[in-house]
Amino acid sequence: MTEELPELAHGNAYYQNLGGGRFRSTIHAQGAWNVHEQHMAPASGLMADALERHQPRADMRMARLSYEILGLIPGGGFHIETSTLRPGRTIELLQAELVADGRTAIRATAWRMITSDTAAVAAIEDTAIPGPDDCKPYDGSAIWPGGYIRSLEMRVAEGHRPGAGKVWLRTDHPLTDRNDSSDLARLMGLVDTANGIAARVPPGKDSYAFPNLDLQIHMYRRPEGEWLGLDNAVSFGRDGIGLTSTILHDRQGPFGRAEQILTLRRT
């Protein structure tokens, strides 16, 4: 059973919004590698939410999110600081930092780009995957511990194997107890799960740990809805470094890609 730590907030949401950019994580945000840390997935969703709310413009949207994981993400209280690194009329670069215990645990940057009508030349080369209604239930908590994994509903397509798979995710838990986040922010709060849906080796003792050091997301379309589809492939190199590559989907089809660089460690 997942350890429920006393410093974690309680409730249905992943985070308790304390106001002024301050938050407290709940058991639903608990990580899989360490019971005292947050999972990167909901933390990245919360940071995407903060970036969307930073000096918003109706004529622009975020097209790339880049997260650097600078160390363990502590459970409990923290705050998020947002800023504009590069203002512009058609392109802006934003930054968010998740600061806990006096240390920046995650640094995120986002390119926000002006939108225009390019329907006449729109085309997508990524291939659609079977929808969630055509997939079977999948119990990720049978493989991974932690409150975050337990918070998910997961479905798996045929052909799933170690190293590659197609999995759909959704959650009934809002990002914060204010329950006012966009579809984009909530779906970004699921993307980091990609590193665990088709692990090449089982996590745990006498195997390998393979945490990711970053999360890079590129979106050629703004996603919608509650379901996130992950078309996933995991590669392990010979020198202790791996890569998880994922095509991202909503019910309408592919909308972008994600990459995660991995450090491979014997357990």
Side-chain angles (χ1 to χ4, degrees):
M1 179 178 293
T2 301
E3 182 179 344
E4 191 162 347
L5 303 175
E7 66 267 24
L8 300 182
H10 293 269
N12 186 52
Y14 289 103
Y15 297 99
Q16 183 182 71
N17 190 328
L18 305 178
R22 297 177 299 115
F23 302 89
R24 184 173 295 278
S25 64
T26 74
I27 191 64
H28 306 303
Q30 186 184 44
W33 297 111
N34 185 322
V35 297
H36 295 272
E37 70 178 344
Q38 295 180 52
H39 198 287
M40 175 61 181
S44 57
L46 189 65
M47 296 180 79
D49 186 63
L51 287 164
E52 272 205 304
R53 295 175 191 272
H54 177 71
Q55 300 176 357
R57 286 177 51 181
D59 60 341
M60 304 184 88
R61 74 165 175 89
M62 289 191 296
R64 192 220 64 182
L65 284 160
S66 178
Y67 299 88
E68 310 298 338
I69 306 170
L70 304 179
L72 185 145
I73 311 165
F78 61 93
H79 68 277
I80 294 178
E81 302 172 356
T82 57
S83 59
T84 301
L85 297 181
R86 190 269 195 195
R89 186 176 61 84
T90 62
I91 299 172
E92 295 182 337
L93 183 62
L94 313 179
Q95 178 176 277
E97 292 188 328
L98 188 155
V99 181
D101 298 335
R103 176 183 63 86
T104 300
I106 309 170
R107 179 173 293 119
T109 56
W111 281 111
R112 188 160 63 187
M113 302 166 65
I114 198 163
T115 58
S116 62
D117 184 359
T118 53
V121 294
I124 296 173
E125 297 292 341
D126 292 328
T127 303
I129 62 175
D133 298 335
D134 299 318
C135 297
K136 298 178 180 179
Y138 179 69
D139 183 9
S141 63
I143 302 170
W144 292 97
Y148 168 70
I149 300 299
R150 289 210 322 268
S151 76
L152 301 176
E153 178 184 352
M154 308 177 75
R155 299 190 186 173
V156 62
E158 290 186 8
H160 189 272
R161 61 172 175 83
K166 299 174 178 65
V167 173
W168 287 91
L169 314 172
R170 71 175 173 183
T171 179
D172 290 332
H173 302 279
L175 269 178
T176 76
D177 52 4
R178 296 187 181 181
N179 196 16
D180 60 353
S181 301
S182 69
D183 286 357
L184 183 145
R186 290 185 291 103
L187 291 173
M188 294 304 98
L190 299 172
V191 173
D192 188 73
T193 319
N195 189 37
I197 64 166
R200 297 206 66 86
V201 295
K205 188 177 179 181
D206 300 324
S207 182
Y208 284 85
F210 41 93
N212 52 302
L213 307 184
D214 74 340
L215 172 63
Q216 311 293 328
I217 302 170
H218 294 81
M219 296 173 284
Y220 44 77
R221 175 173 64 80
R222 184 181 177 91
E224 300 176 351
E226 60 179 353
W227 283 102
L228 176 71
L230 305 171
D231 185 357
N232 182 255
V234 183
S235 300
F236 284 178
R238 294 178 176 270
D239 60 353
I241 298 171
L243 178 69
T244 296
S245 301
T246 308
I247 301 174
L248 305 173
H249 302 252
D250 61 13
R251 278 189 176 272
Q252 285 69 52
F255 67 83
R257 294 182 174 233
E259 302 280 341
Q260 297 157 287
I261 199 70
L262 315 178
T263 175
L264 311 180
R265 306 170 183 174
R266 290 284 300 183
T267 56

